[in-house]
Amino acid sequence: MVRVSGGSPLRQVIAGASIGNAVEWYDFAIYGFLATFIAANFFPAGDDTAALLNTFAIFAAAFVMRPLGGLVFGPLGDRLGRQRVLAIVILLMSGSTLAMGLLPTYEAIGVAAPLLLLFLRCLQGFSAGGEYGGGACYLAEFAPDERRGVTVTFIAWSGVVGFLLGSVTVTLLQTVLGDAAMDSYGWRIPFLIAGPLGLVGLYIRLRLSDTPAFEALAASDEVAASPLQEALQTAWRPILQVIGIMIIFNVGYYVVFTYLPTYFIKTLQFSKATAFVSITIACLVAIVLILPLAALSDRIGRRPLLVAGSVGFVVFVYPLFLLLNSGSVLGAIVAHAALAAIESAYIAVAVSTGVELFSTRVRYSGFSIGYNVCVAAFGGTTPYMVAWLTGSTGNNLAPAFYVVAAAVISLITALTLRESARRPLPEGVTAEVAAR
Protein backbone atom coordinates (compact mmCIF):
# COMPACT_ATOMS: atom_id res chain seq x y z
CA MET A 1 0.00 0.00 0.00
CA VAL A 2 1.35 3.41 -1.00
CA ARG A 3 1.44 5.86 1.86
CA VAL A 4 1.37 9.61 1.68
CA SER A 5 1.92 12.51 4.04
CA GLY A 6 0.42 12.10 7.48
CA GLY A 7 0.30 8.34 7.06
CA SER A 8 -2.83 8.45 4.87
CA PRO A 9 -3.09 5.58 2.37
CA LEU A 10 -3.20 6.68 -1.26
CA ARG A 11 -6.52 4.90 -1.69
CA GLN A 12 -7.98 7.03 1.13
CA VAL A 13 -6.73 10.14 -0.67
CA ILE A 14 -8.36 8.91 -3.88
CA ALA A 15 -11.63 8.20 -2.05
CA GLY A 16 -11.64 11.61 -0.39
CA ALA A 17 -11.06 13.48 -3.64
CA SER A 18 -13.34 11.33 -5.78
CA ILE A 19 -16.41 11.15 -3.57
CA GLY A 20 -17.10 14.86 -3.87
CA ASN A 21 -17.01 14.65 -7.63
CA ALA A 22 -19.31 11.62 -7.54
CA VAL A 23 -21.77 13.60 -5.39
CA GLU A 24 -21.55 16.51 -7.85
CA TRP A 25 -22.47 14.35 -10.83
CA TYR A 26 -25.10 12.49 -8.83
CA ASP A 27 -26.67 15.88 -8.06
CA PHE A 28 -26.57 16.99 -11.68
CA ALA A 29 -28.00 13.69 -12.88
CA ILE A 30 -30.96 13.55 -10.51
CA TYR A 31 -31.99 17.11 -11.36
CA GLY A 32 -32.13 16.23 -15.05
CA PHE A 33 -33.94 12.94 -14.55
CA LEU A 34 -36.45 14.56 -12.17
CA ALA A 35 -37.08 17.57 -14.42
CA THR A 36 -40.75 16.80 -15.11
CA PHE A 37 -41.53 16.36 -11.40
CA ILE A 38 -39.61 19.54 -10.51
CA ALA A 39 -41.54 21.45 -13.17
CA ALA A 40 -44.86 20.22 -11.77
CA ASN A 41 -43.96 21.17 -8.19
CA PHE A 42 -42.14 24.49 -8.62
CA PHE A 43 -44.07 26.27 -11.37
CA PRO A 44 -47.76 27.15 -11.82
CA ALA A 45 -49.99 24.55 -13.44
CA GLY A 46 -51.45 25.04 -16.89
CA ASP A 47 -48.42 25.27 -19.17
CA ASP A 48 -46.31 22.13 -18.86
CA THR A 49 -43.91 23.15 -21.64
CA ALA A 50 -43.14 26.53 -20.05
CA ALA A 51 -42.66 24.89 -16.66
CA LEU A 52 -40.22 22.36 -18.12
CA LEU A 53 -38.29 25.07 -19.96
CA ASN A 54 -38.05 27.09 -16.75
CA THR A 55 -36.79 24.00 -14.95
CA PHE A 56 -34.01 23.54 -17.50
CA ALA A 57 -33.22 27.25 -17.38
CA ILE A 58 -32.54 26.84 -13.66
CA PHE A 59 -30.48 23.75 -14.50
CA ALA A 60 -28.35 25.89 -16.84
CA ALA A 61 -27.85 28.56 -14.17
CA ALA A 62 -25.45 26.23 -12.35
CA PHE A 63 -23.13 26.25 -15.36
CA VAL A 64 -23.09 30.05 -15.41
CA MET A 65 -21.95 30.01 -11.77
CA ARG A 66 -19.16 27.48 -12.27
CA PRO A 67 -16.53 29.93 -13.60
CA LEU A 68 -17.27 32.23 -10.67
CA GLY A 69 -16.75 29.31 -8.29
CA GLY A 70 -13.46 28.53 -10.02
CA LEU A 71 -12.33 32.15 -9.70
CA VAL A 72 -13.09 32.09 -5.96
CA PHE A 73 -12.10 28.58 -4.85
CA GLY A 74 -9.10 28.17 -7.17
CA PRO A 75 -7.12 31.05 -5.64
CA LEU A 76 -8.28 30.02 -2.15
CA GLY A 77 -6.91 26.53 -2.77
CA ASP A 78 -3.58 28.00 -3.90
CA ARG A 79 -3.38 30.22 -0.82
CA LEU A 80 -4.96 28.18 2.00
CA GLY A 81 -4.36 24.66 0.76
CA ARG A 82 -6.25 22.07 -1.27
CA GLN A 83 -7.66 20.02 1.61
CA ARG A 84 -9.42 22.92 3.37
CA VAL A 85 -11.12 24.17 0.22
CA LEU A 86 -12.22 20.67 -0.81
CA ALA A 87 -13.87 20.26 2.61
CA ILE A 88 -15.76 23.54 2.09
CA VAL A 89 -16.99 22.75 -1.42
CA ILE A 90 -18.34 19.28 -0.60
CA LEU A 91 -20.25 20.79 2.32
CA LEU A 92 -21.77 23.44 0.04
CA MET A 93 -22.55 20.95 -2.71
CA SER A 94 -24.24 18.28 -0.60
CA GLY A 95 -25.93 20.85 1.64
CA SER A 96 -27.53 22.69 -1.28
CA THR A 97 -28.71 19.42 -2.81
CA LEU A 98 -30.18 18.25 0.50
CA ALA A 99 -31.96 21.60 0.85
CA MET A 100 -33.59 21.11 -2.57
CA GLY A 101 -35.26 18.01 -1.20
CA LEU A 102 -36.71 20.04 1.68
CA LEU A 103 -38.04 23.00 -0.34
CA PRO A 104 -41.75 23.86 -0.15
CA THR A 105 -43.54 23.75 -3.49
CA TYR A 106 -45.12 26.50 -5.60
CA GLU A 107 -48.51 25.53 -4.24
CA ALA A 108 -47.27 26.19 -0.69
CA ILE A 109 -45.30 29.44 -1.04
CA GLY A 110 -45.86 30.65 -4.59
CA VAL A 111 -43.12 32.32 -6.60
CA ALA A 112 -40.66 32.03 -3.70
CA ALA A 113 -40.38 28.30 -4.46
CA PRO A 114 -38.69 28.59 -7.89
CA LEU A 115 -36.58 31.49 -6.59
CA LEU A 116 -35.27 29.34 -3.75
CA LEU A 117 -34.66 26.51 -6.21
CA LEU A 118 -32.69 28.90 -8.42
CA PHE A 119 -30.61 30.08 -5.46
CA LEU A 120 -29.73 26.51 -4.43
CA ARG A 121 -28.96 25.54 -8.00
CA CYS A 122 -26.59 28.51 -8.29
CA LEU A 123 -24.96 27.47 -5.02
CA GLN A 124 -24.47 23.99 -6.49
CA GLY A 125 -22.77 25.43 -9.55
CA PHE A 126 -20.64 27.79 -7.47
CA SER A 127 -19.34 24.95 -5.30
CA ALA A 128 -18.85 22.68 -8.33
CA GLY A 129 -16.53 25.35 -9.72
CA GLY A 130 -14.07 24.52 -6.95
CA GLU A 131 -14.67 20.77 -6.77
CA TYR A 132 -13.34 19.33 -10.02
CA GLY A 133 -10.15 21.37 -10.27
CA GLY A 134 -9.41 20.97 -6.57
CA GLY A 135 -9.87 17.22 -6.60
CA ALA A 136 -7.70 16.83 -9.70
CA CYS A 137 -4.89 18.94 -8.23
CA TYR A 138 -5.09 17.13 -4.90
CA LEU A 139 -4.67 13.74 -6.55
CA ALA A 140 -1.95 14.94 -8.92
CA GLU A 141 0.16 16.27 -6.06
CA PHE A 142 -0.08 13.03 -4.08
CA ALA A 143 0.42 10.63 -6.98
CA PRO A 144 3.77 9.04 -7.86
CA ASP A 145 4.98 10.38 -11.21
CA GLU A 146 4.73 6.97 -12.83
CA ARG A 147 1.08 6.52 -11.76
CA ARG A 148 -0.21 10.07 -11.90
CA GLY A 149 -2.42 9.48 -14.94
CA VAL A 150 -4.50 6.70 -13.42
CA THR A 151 -4.57 8.39 -10.00
CA VAL A 152 -5.86 11.74 -11.27
CA THR A 153 -8.36 10.07 -13.59
CA PHE A 154 -10.27 8.68 -10.61
CA ILE A 155 -11.85 12.16 -10.61
CA ALA A 156 -13.31 11.66 -14.09
CA TRP A 157 -14.18 8.02 -13.39
CA SER A 158 -16.06 8.93 -10.21
CA GLY A 159 -18.12 11.43 -12.21
CA VAL A 160 -19.48 8.66 -14.42
CA VAL A 161 -20.15 6.54 -11.33
CA GLY A 162 -22.08 9.41 -9.73
CA PHE A 163 -24.08 9.99 -12.92
CA LEU A 164 -24.98 6.30 -13.13
CA LEU A 165 -25.92 6.24 -9.44
CA GLY A 166 -28.28 9.17 -9.98
CA SER A 167 -29.86 7.58 -13.04
CA VAL A 168 -30.39 4.22 -11.33
CA THR A 169 -31.74 5.83 -8.13
CA VAL A 170 -34.39 7.85 -9.97
CA THR A 171 -35.40 4.95 -12.23
CA LEU A 172 -35.76 2.52 -9.31
CA LEU A 173 -37.87 5.00 -7.37
CA GLN A 174 -40.14 5.58 -10.37
CA THR A 175 -40.54 1.84 -10.83
CA VAL A 176 -41.32 1.16 -7.16
CA LEU A 177 -43.39 4.24 -6.31
CA GLY A 178 -45.13 5.14 -9.58
CA ASP A 179 -45.75 8.61 -10.99
CA ALA A 180 -48.35 9.72 -8.42
CA ALA A 181 -46.12 9.03 -5.41
CA MET A 182 -43.09 10.45 -7.21
CA ASP A 183 -44.96 13.66 -7.90
CA SER A 184 -46.14 13.88 -4.29
CA TYR A 185 -42.99 13.09 -2.32
CA GLY A 186 -40.81 10.59 -4.17
CA TRP A 187 -38.91 13.26 -6.12
CA ARG A 188 -37.47 14.51 -2.82
CA ILE A 189 -35.77 11.22 -1.90
CA PRO A 190 -32.80 11.39 -4.34
CA PHE A 191 -32.02 14.92 -3.15
CA LEU A 192 -32.17 13.87 0.50
CA ILE A 193 -29.75 11.00 -0.17
CA ALA A 194 -27.10 13.59 -1.08
CA GLY A 195 -26.95 14.66 2.59
CA PRO A 196 -25.45 11.45 3.99
CA LEU A 197 -23.26 11.01 0.90
CA GLY A 198 -21.82 14.47 1.48
CA LEU A 199 -21.23 13.81 5.19
CA VAL A 200 -19.27 10.68 4.37
CA GLY A 201 -17.16 12.65 1.91
CA LEU A 202 -16.64 15.48 4.40
CA TYR A 203 -15.59 13.03 7.12
CA ILE A 204 -12.99 11.49 4.82
CA ARG A 205 -11.67 14.86 3.65
CA LEU A 206 -11.34 16.26 7.16
CA ARG A 207 -9.11 13.32 8.09
CA LEU A 208 -6.71 13.91 5.20
CA SER A 209 -3.61 16.09 5.26
CA ASP A 210 -2.79 18.61 2.59
CA THR A 211 -0.62 17.61 -0.33
CA PRO A 212 3.16 17.27 0.07
CA ALA A 213 3.66 19.77 -2.77
CA PHE A 214 1.56 22.47 -1.11
CA GLU A 215 3.02 21.81 2.33
CA ALA A 216 6.54 22.20 0.90
CA LEU A 217 5.48 25.42 -0.80
CA ALA A 218 4.04 26.77 2.46
CA ALA A 219 7.09 25.68 4.47
CA SER A 220 9.39 27.62 2.13
CA ASP A 221 7.07 30.64 2.24
CA GLU A 222 6.56 30.54 -1.53
CA VAL A 223 2.75 30.44 -1.60
CA ALA A 224 1.52 32.93 -4.20
CA ALA A 225 0.16 36.14 -2.66
CA SER A 226 -2.27 36.65 -5.57
CA PRO A 227 -2.69 33.28 -7.29
CA LEU A 228 -5.40 34.47 -9.67
CA GLN A 229 -3.37 37.43 -10.89
CA GLU A 230 -0.23 35.30 -11.17
CA ALA A 231 -2.07 32.58 -13.09
CA LEU A 232 -3.53 35.05 -15.58
CA GLN A 233 -0.18 36.78 -16.06
CA THR A 234 2.19 33.81 -16.21
CA ALA A 235 0.02 30.81 -17.15
CA TRP A 236 -2.37 32.26 -19.73
CA ARG A 237 -1.09 29.86 -22.40
CA PRO A 238 -1.75 26.70 -20.30
CA ILE A 239 -5.18 28.11 -19.38
CA LEU A 240 -6.03 28.46 -23.09
CA GLN A 241 -4.68 24.95 -23.71
CA VAL A 242 -6.93 23.55 -20.97
CA ILE A 243 -9.93 25.26 -22.56
CA GLY A 244 -8.96 23.79 -25.94
CA ILE A 245 -8.40 20.21 -24.84
CA MET A 246 -11.52 20.24 -22.69
CA ILE A 247 -13.88 21.25 -25.54
CA ILE A 248 -14.38 17.73 -26.90
CA PHE A 249 -14.15 16.38 -23.34
CA ASN A 250 -17.29 18.39 -22.49
CA VAL A 251 -19.12 18.26 -25.81
CA GLY A 252 -18.58 14.50 -26.04
CA TYR A 253 -19.57 13.96 -22.41
CA TYR A 254 -22.81 15.92 -22.60
CA VAL A 255 -23.81 14.41 -25.93
CA VAL A 256 -23.12 10.83 -24.83
CA PHE A 257 -24.35 10.93 -21.24
CA THR A 258 -26.91 13.77 -21.16
CA TYR A 259 -28.35 14.37 -24.62
CA LEU A 260 -28.57 10.89 -26.13
CA PRO A 261 -31.15 9.52 -23.64
CA THR A 262 -33.48 12.35 -24.75
CA TYR A 263 -32.48 11.76 -28.40
CA PHE A 264 -33.51 8.10 -28.02
CA ILE A 265 -36.99 9.11 -26.84
CA LYS A 266 -37.76 12.33 -28.74
CA THR A 267 -35.92 11.81 -32.04
CA LEU A 268 -35.59 8.05 -32.46
CA GLN A 269 -39.01 7.36 -30.87
CA PHE A 270 -37.70 4.59 -28.64
CA SER A 271 -39.19 3.87 -25.23
CA LYS A 272 -37.93 5.31 -21.95
CA ALA A 273 -36.92 1.80 -20.93
CA THR A 274 -34.73 1.50 -24.03
CA ALA A 275 -33.15 4.88 -23.32
CA PHE A 276 -32.42 3.82 -19.74
CA VAL A 277 -30.85 0.52 -20.85
CA SER A 278 -28.71 2.35 -23.39
CA ILE A 279 -27.42 5.06 -21.02
CA THR A 280 -26.72 2.42 -18.37
CA ILE A 281 -24.65 0.37 -20.83
CA ALA A 282 -22.84 3.52 -21.99
CA CYS A 283 -21.97 4.41 -18.40
CA LEU A 284 -20.76 0.88 -17.69
CA VAL A 285 -18.56 0.96 -20.80
CA ALA A 286 -16.97 4.17 -19.54
CA ILE A 287 -16.55 2.82 -16.00
CA VAL A 288 -14.79 -0.28 -17.36
CA LEU A 289 -12.52 1.55 -19.84
CA ILE A 290 -11.47 4.85 -18.27
CA LEU A 291 -9.05 3.63 -15.59
CA PRO A 292 -7.23 1.01 -17.73
CA LEU A 293 -6.81 3.61 -20.48
CA ALA A 294 -5.49 6.10 -17.92
CA ALA A 295 -3.00 3.48 -16.73
CA LEU A 296 -2.00 2.96 -20.36
CA SER A 297 -1.28 6.68 -20.64
CA ASP A 298 1.22 6.32 -17.80
CA ARG A 299 3.11 3.92 -20.05
CA ILE A 300 2.77 5.36 -23.57
CA GLY A 301 2.00 9.01 -22.79
CA ARG A 302 -0.98 11.37 -22.72
CA ARG A 303 -0.72 12.74 -26.26
CA PRO A 304 -1.39 9.43 -28.07
CA LEU A 305 -4.72 9.01 -26.26
CA LEU A 306 -5.69 12.67 -26.67
CA VAL A 307 -5.06 12.34 -30.39
CA ALA A 308 -6.78 8.95 -30.60
CA GLY A 309 -9.90 10.22 -28.82
CA SER A 310 -10.14 13.36 -30.96
CA VAL A 311 -9.52 11.52 -34.23
CA GLY A 312 -11.95 8.81 -33.11
CA PHE A 313 -14.74 11.36 -32.88
CA VAL A 314 -13.82 12.98 -36.21
CA VAL A 315 -13.80 9.67 -38.06
CA PHE A 316 -16.53 7.66 -36.36
CA VAL A 317 -19.17 10.02 -34.95
CA TYR A 318 -21.02 10.42 -38.28
CA PRO A 319 -21.17 6.67 -39.05
CA LEU A 320 -22.27 6.01 -35.48
CA PHE A 321 -25.09 8.57 -35.78
CA LEU A 322 -26.13 6.80 -38.99
CA LEU A 323 -26.30 3.58 -36.95
CA LEU A 324 -28.28 5.39 -34.24
CA ASN A 325 -30.84 6.33 -36.90
CA SER A 326 -30.95 2.91 -38.57
CA GLY A 327 -34.21 2.00 -36.84
CA SER A 328 -32.61 -0.90 -34.99
CA VAL A 329 -32.76 -0.77 -31.20
CA LEU A 330 -29.72 -3.03 -30.94
CA GLY A 331 -27.84 -0.92 -33.48
CA ALA A 332 -28.63 2.28 -31.59
CA ILE A 333 -27.46 0.82 -28.27
CA VAL A 334 -24.24 -0.42 -29.89
CA ALA A 335 -23.64 3.03 -31.41
CA HIS A 336 -24.23 4.67 -28.02
CA ALA A 337 -21.76 2.29 -26.37
CA ALA A 338 -19.18 2.96 -29.10
CA LEU A 339 -19.48 6.72 -28.59
CA ALA A 340 -18.99 6.16 -24.85
CA ALA A 341 -15.84 4.14 -25.61
CA ILE A 342 -14.37 6.96 -27.72
CA GLU A 343 -15.21 9.50 -25.03
CA SER A 344 -13.59 7.21 -22.45
CA ALA A 345 -10.27 7.33 -24.31
CA TYR A 346 -10.30 11.10 -24.09
CA ILE A 347 -11.61 11.31 -20.52
CA ALA A 348 -8.83 8.96 -19.43
CA VAL A 349 -6.11 11.56 -20.04
CA ALA A 350 -7.62 15.05 -20.40
CA VAL A 351 -7.76 15.91 -16.70
CA SER A 352 -4.28 14.67 -15.83
CA THR A 353 -2.91 16.48 -18.88
CA GLY A 354 -4.54 19.71 -17.75
CA VAL A 355 -3.24 19.76 -14.18
CA GLU A 356 0.26 18.81 -15.37
CA LEU A 357 0.50 22.12 -17.25
CA PHE A 358 0.66 24.32 -14.13
CA SER A 359 3.13 24.99 -11.36
CA THR A 360 2.17 24.25 -7.75
CA ARG A 361 1.79 27.97 -7.01
CA VAL A 362 -1.12 28.41 -9.43
CA ARG A 363 -2.23 24.86 -10.28
CA TYR A 364 -5.62 25.03 -8.56
CA SER A 365 -6.36 28.50 -9.98
CA GLY A 366 -5.10 27.89 -13.50
CA PHE A 367 -6.80 24.55 -14.07
CA SER A 368 -10.06 25.65 -12.43
CA ILE A 369 -10.29 28.77 -14.60
CA GLY A 370 -9.64 26.90 -17.84
CA TYR A 371 -11.84 23.92 -17.03
CA ASN A 372 -14.83 25.89 -15.72
CA VAL A 373 -14.80 28.45 -18.53
CA CYS A 374 -14.91 25.53 -20.95
CA VAL A 375 -17.70 23.78 -19.05
CA ALA A 376 -19.79 26.95 -19.01
CA ALA A 377 -19.27 27.59 -22.72
CA PHE A 378 -19.34 24.04 -24.11
CA GLY A 379 -20.74 21.78 -21.37
CA GLY A 380 -24.12 23.02 -20.23
CA THR A 381 -24.86 24.50 -23.66
CA THR A 382 -24.22 21.30 -25.62
CA PRO A 383 -27.63 19.58 -25.13
CA TYR A 384 -29.35 22.83 -26.16
CA MET A 385 -27.08 23.38 -29.18
CA VAL A 386 -27.40 19.87 -30.61
CA ALA A 387 -31.17 19.86 -30.00
CA TRP A 388 -31.43 23.25 -31.74
CA LEU A 389 -29.32 22.04 -34.67
CA THR A 390 -31.50 18.94 -35.05
CA GLY A 391 -34.72 20.93 -34.88
CA SER A 392 -33.68 23.85 -37.08
CA THR A 393 -32.13 21.73 -39.84
CA GLY A 394 -34.54 18.81 -39.65
CA ASN A 395 -31.46 16.59 -39.87
CA ASN A 396 -31.14 13.94 -37.19
CA LEU A 397 -27.42 13.67 -37.96
CA ALA A 398 -26.74 17.34 -37.18
CA PRO A 399 -25.28 16.64 -33.69
CA ALA A 400 -22.47 14.68 -35.34
CA PHE A 401 -21.19 17.81 -37.10
CA TYR A 402 -21.09 19.74 -33.83
CA VAL A 403 -19.08 16.95 -32.22
CA VAL A 404 -16.67 16.83 -35.18
CA ALA A 405 -16.05 20.59 -34.96
CA ALA A 406 -15.31 20.31 -31.23
CA ALA A 407 -12.99 17.35 -31.79
CA VAL A 408 -10.99 19.20 -34.45
CA ILE A 409 -10.37 22.13 -32.09
CA SER A 410 -9.25 19.82 -29.29
CA LEU A 411 -7.04 17.83 -31.67
CA ILE A 412 -5.25 20.98 -32.81
CA THR A 413 -4.77 21.99 -29.17
CA ALA A 414 -3.44 18.55 -28.21
CA LEU A 415 -0.79 18.82 -30.90
CA THR A 416 0.58 21.96 -29.20
CA LEU A 417 1.28 20.10 -25.95
CA ARG A 418 4.52 18.48 -24.96
CA GLU A 419 4.35 15.03 -23.38
CA SER A 420 3.91 15.23 -19.59
CA ALA A 421 3.55 11.58 -18.54
CA ARG A 422 6.06 10.30 -15.98
CA ARG A 423 7.62 13.76 -15.58
CA PRO A 424 7.70 15.56 -12.21
CA LEU A 425 5.04 18.22 -11.78
CA PRO A 426 6.30 21.80 -12.27
CA GLU A 427 6.87 23.42 -8.89
CA GLY A 428 8.19 26.96 -8.53
CA VAL A 429 7.38 28.27 -11.98
CA THR A 430 4.64 27.70 -14.54
CA ALA A 431 4.92 24.82 -16.94
CA GLU A 432 5.10 27.37 -19.74
CA VAL A 433 8.27 28.88 -18.27
CA ALA A 434 9.67 25.48 -17.27
CA ALA A 435 9.36 24.25 -20.84
CA ARG A 436 11.65 27.00 -22.20
Side-chain angles (χ1 to χ4, degrees):
M1 183 185 297
V2 179
R3 293 197 171 268
V4 294
S5 127
S8 302
L10 182 58
R11 64 185 181 188
Q12 187 176 351
V13 169
I14 291 172
S18 300
I19 192 168
N21 192 56
V23 170
E24 174 191 340
W25 281 103
Y26 169 84
D27 295 344
F28 273 66
I30 61 175
Y31 188 98
F33 286 115
L34 292 169
T36 55
F37 299 106
I38 293 171
N41 280 278
F42 286 90
F43 296 96
D47 191 340
D48 292 343
T49 300
L52 191 58
L53 287 174
N54 287 331
T55 301
F56 281 120
I58 291 177
F59 175 80
F63 290 92
V64 176
M65 294 296 294
R66 286 186 70 140
L68 180 58
L71 289 171
V72 171
F73 289 118
L76 279 177
D78 283 328
R79 290 181 61 193
L80 303 179
R82 286 67 162 120
Q83 183 263 351
R84 292 181 185 179
V85 174
L86 285 173
I88 294 170
V89 294
I90 195 172
L91 189 61
L92 286 176
M93 170 66 73
S94 57
S96 57
T97 306
L98 173 65
M100 284 184 183
L102 300 173
L103 282 178
T105 63
Y106 184 90
E107 185 179 0
I109 61 172
V111 72
L115 290 177
L116 287 171
L117 181 65
L118 174 62
F119 169 76
L120 291 173
R121 187 66 186 159
C122 287
L123 188 59
Q124 273 189 333
F126 181 71
S127 59
E131 174 60 49
Y132 206 87
C137 292
Y138 192 75
L139 289 178
E141 292 173 2
F142 266 120
D145 292 341
E146 68 276 9
R147 293 177 54 196
R148 191 164 56 242
V150 69
T151 303
V152 173
T153 302
F154 269 97
I155 283 290
W157 180 83
S158 66
V160 181
V161 172
F163 186 92
L164 179 59
L165 177 61
S167 170
V168 170
T169 299
V170 172
T171 302
L172 286 177
L173 284 171
Q174 285 181 294
T175 302
V176 173
L177 298 179
D179 286 346
M182 283 295 294
D183 187 58
S184 174
Y185 65 88
W187 65 269
R188 298 182 183 274
I189 297 173
F191 290 107
L192 298 177
I193 291 174
L197 287 178
L199 288 176
V200 171
L202 179 63
Y203 173 75
I204 294 174
R205 287 184 175 182
L206 288 176
R207 298 186 65 196
L208 297 175
S209 59
D210 218 315
T211 69
F214 183 81
E215 289 181 340
L217 200 70
S220 59
D221 199 26
E222 292 183 5
V223 174
S226 301
L228 179 59
Q229 181 180 357
E230 184 173 325
L232 294 174
Q233 288 178 343
T234 67
W236 58 268
R237 187 171 184 266
I239 289 172
L240 291 177
Q241 288 175 320
V242 167
I243 293 172
I245 64 174
M246 286 295 174
I247 289 177
I248 190 57
F249 178 100
N250 284 293
V251 169
Y253 195 100
Y254 283 91
V255 165
V256 173
F257 298 111
T258 302
Y259 174 69
L260 280 185
T262 301
Y263 187 84
F264 265 64
I265 298 167
K266 299 294 185 182
T267 304
L268 303 181
Q269 301 296 308
F270 293 142
S271 67
K272 289 183 178 180
T274 299
F276 173 72
V277 169
S278 189
I279 188 59
T280 300
I281 292 174
C283 287
L284 290 173
V285 166
I287 289 170
V288 169
L289 290 181
I290 287 173
L291 293 179
L293 289 171
L296 179 64
S297 81
D298 283 324
R299 298 184 63 186
I300 68 172
R302 318 284 188 236
R303 278 168 49 104
L305 286 175
L306 288 174
V307 171
S310 301
V311 171
F313 274 123
V314 172
V315 173
F316 294 111
V317 70
Y318 186 79
L320 289 173
F321 262 83
L322 285 175
L323 184 56
L324 279 168
N325 285 271
S326 65
S328 165
V329 171
L330 178 60
I333 292 174
V334 169
H336 195 176
L339 288 168
I342 297 171
E343 176 68 2
S344 297
Y346 203 87
I347 287 175
V349 290
V351 180
S352 55
T353 302
V355 296
E356 288 168 341
L357 291 172
F358 300 94
S359 72
T360 305
R361 286 169 61 92
V362 297
R363 184 168 296 121
Y364 201 152
S365 300
F367 182 75
S368 292
I369 293 168
Y371 176 76
N372 286 301
V373 166
C374 188
V375 170
F378 297 99
T381 61
T382 288
Y384 175 86
M385 286 299 299
V386 292
W388 177 80
L389 284 171
T390 302
S392 61
T393 64
N395 183 357
N396 290 350
L397 305 179
F401 301 114
Y402 189 74
V403 174
V404 168
V408 169
I409 296 172
S410 291
L411 174 61
I412 293 171
T413 307
L415 294 176
T416 70
L417 302 172
R418 72 167 186 167
E419 184 54 63
S420 56
R422 301 179 304 280
R423 298 187 181 210
L425 289 171
E427 295 180 358
V429 293
T430 65
E432 181 183 19
V433 175
R436 292 176 182 171

